[in-house]
Amino acid sequence: MAAAALRERQAPIKDAYKSDPSSAVVTLSSSGTLDSNSISCKLSTGKAVHEAQQKIAGLHQKAGGNDPAISGELCSGDMLLEALVACAGVTLKAVATALDVPIKEGTVKADGDLDFKGTMGVDRNAPVGFTAIRLSFDLKMQEGKEVPEEKIEKLGKLTERYCVVLQTIAKKPELSVSVRGTEEAEQGIERTTAWSQRS
């Protein structure tokens, strides 16, 4: 029943991507703010997600998911960009503190381009996953504090070097995937099926 409902929901989306391939390309964005009070990054999220007690991952609307403003469900791509913004923001604040760069406030933004033709299996040649990610910082320094250009350059280089999420994306780690399914075959007897792969 659920499989048929999902196929029915996704069919017109897939047809639209076949007839207009550019409609499958979307840019996801995440942003956060920095201030002078702490080594932290405050993420900007939608109201429904902010009010939820826990974050729920769901399908993106371009893959047949519900409106996140209503469901409160986040696309995992959004969560990846949130993690990048959070890690990069905290790393930049820590580096700025160590270098004595007087940041008054700032914003961190990550934009990522996705082609849903790959994700939806419409085009086997279309990539699955982000094809480009742009991370940017817009900083305001404290009044009367002049920061030389070479210090800003060092701030950028060290933030890039020590941001865990950025480096994880940039340098593909060794990955392993496993799936384990269990079902009750007879009274009290379980049957297990498993699959795993390294990449």
Side-chain angles (χ1 to χ4, degrees):
M1 193 88 165
L6 180 61
R7 278 194 298 272
E8 185 179 332
R9 186 171 191 148
Q10 289 183 336
I13 298 171
K14 289 183 176 185
D15 289 342
Y17 295 164
K18 287 175 186 173
S19 62
D20 180 12
S22 66
S23 68
V25 179
V26 66
T27 299
L28 304 182
S29 294
S30 181
S31 63
T33 56
L34 309 172
D35 61 35
S36 60
N37 297 324
S38 63
I39 299 175
S40 62
C41 179
K42 184 178 180 182
L43 294 174
S44 305
T45 57
K47 186 180 178 197
V49 175
H50 180 70
E51 291 174 353
Q53 288 190 358
Q54 61 181 351
K55 288 188 175 180
I56 301 170
L59 289 173
H60 190 278
Q61 283 180 287
K62 288 273 194 177
N66 296 317
D67 180 350
I70 297 169
S71 68
E73 295 176 354
L74 277 179
C75 164
S76 300
D78 290 319
M79 291 182 178
L80 176 67
L81 294 180
E82 276 193 340
L84 176 58
V85 165
C87 188
V90 170
T91 303
L92 180 126
K93 278 303 303 279
V95 172
T97 301
L99 295 178
D100 198 25
V101 176
I103 296 173
K104 180 182 178 183
E105 59 187 38
T107 57
V108 188
K109 188 175 182 191
D111 297 311
D113 300 333
L114 272 174
D115 186 342
F116 276 90
K117 293 191 302 298
T119 302
M120 298 285 283
V122 172
D123 179 354
R124 287 196 169 275
N125 295 319
V128 176
F130 288 106
T131 56
I133 296 176
R134 295 168 297 282
L135 178 65
S136 61
F137 300 90
D138 186 5
L139 307 174
K140 286 187 180 176
M141 302 303 165
Q142 293 176 9
E143 290 84 359
K145 305 274 186 176
E146 193 172 320
V147 182
E149 191 174 320
E150 58 269 16
K151 214 167 193 183
I152 295 296
E153 181 181 343
K154 189 172 184 181
L155 176 64
K157 285 181 176 179
L158 291 177
T159 298
E160 180 181 14
R161 179 176 178 182
Y162 294 114
C163 176
V164 171
V165 175
L166 188 152
Q167 288 301 322
T168 301
I169 294 168
K171 298 173 181 171
K172 182 184 172 192
E174 182 180 305
L175 295 172
S176 63
V177 179
S178 63
V179 179
R180 183 174 180 268
T182 305
E183 63 177 299
E184 192 172 313
E186 297 175 29
Q187 192 69 20
I189 300 173
E190 290 186 342
R191 187 175 70 185
T192 301
T193 310
W195 171 87
S196 65
Q197 180 173 302
R198 272 181 197 269
S199 60

